[in-house]
Amino acid sequence: MAVKAMGWAHSFPVSGGVSAGRRWTRRHLESLAWTAEEPETVDAVVLTVSELLTNAHIHAHSDAHLVLTWDGDRLQVSVHDEDPTLPRRREPEPGAVSGRGVGIVRMLADEWDMTSRGHGKTVTACFRPAAARRRDEGD
């Protein structure tokens, strides 16, 4: 079975990378047919990108390398940084302005994973648009 996929990759610097990453992601998602009908999924993807880039910049003190891949069934969002330390879920105090990123990604994504290697880590979140889920339910 052949799999057709399309994707985009970009690096975002520590300074100003998060807002640029959100704009870049939204612009590329506009080229996918399903996004016009699923603005909530698009918003979830953009918020996930924002959280993952923020974590790379703040916790890893690293530029972030973002890859978006669409295979016709799911959108994969991967962010790589230079720190091999895996993020951990925290329970922030009420009113705290940080500590919710991993929880947000877990809540928004259909699947997510973390991989650590000596040269850094990659956090990946996958999103399945409703049309893909309906196709599977019809099988």
Side-chain angles (χ1 to χ4, degrees), residues 1-54:
M1 174 172 109
V3 175
K4 286 186 170 182
M6 60 188 302
W8 307 272
H10 197 285
S11 293
F12 295 94
V14 172
S15 61
V18 177
S19 60
R22 287 191 300 263
R23 287 190 304 273
W24 182 87
T25 298
R26 196 171 289 280
R27 188 171 63 249
H28 286 290
L29 290 178
E30 289 172 357
S31 70
L32 301 174
W34 59 267
T35 60
E37 297 174 9
E38 296 194 40
E40 303 86 16
T41 304
V42 171
D43 289 344
V45 170
V46 171
L47 179 55
T48 296
V49 165
S50 185
E51 291 297 330
L52 295 178
L53 293 177
T54 297

Side-chain angles (χ1 to χ4, degrees), residues 5 7 30 39 50 52 63 65 79 102 116 121 133:
E30 289 172 357
S50 185
L52 295 178
D63 292 344
H65 312 286
V79 174
V102 171
S116 177
K121 71 177 158 298
R133 289 192 299 272

Side-chain angles (χ1 to χ4, degrees), residues 31-97:
S31 70
L32 301 174
W34 59 267
T35 60
E37 297 174 9
E38 296 194 40
E40 303 86 16
T41 304
V42 171
D43 289 344
V45 170
V46 171
L47 179 55
T48 296
V49 165
S50 185
E51 291 297 330
L52 295 178
L53 293 177
T54 297
N55 283 352
H57 295 332
I58 290 178
H59 300 293
H61 310 286
S62 168
D63 292 344
H65 312 286
L66 171 61
V67 177
L68 302 176
T69 308
W70 170 246
D71 67 4
D73 184 56
R74 68 187 67 227
L75 178 75
Q76 182 172 299
V77 176
S78 296
V79 174
H80 178 82
D81 65 48
E82 303 304 320
D83 182 354
T85 307
L86 294 176
R88 60 183 176 80
R89 187 173 184 182
R90 298 186 293 174
E91 297 297 328
E93 296 293 323
V97 296

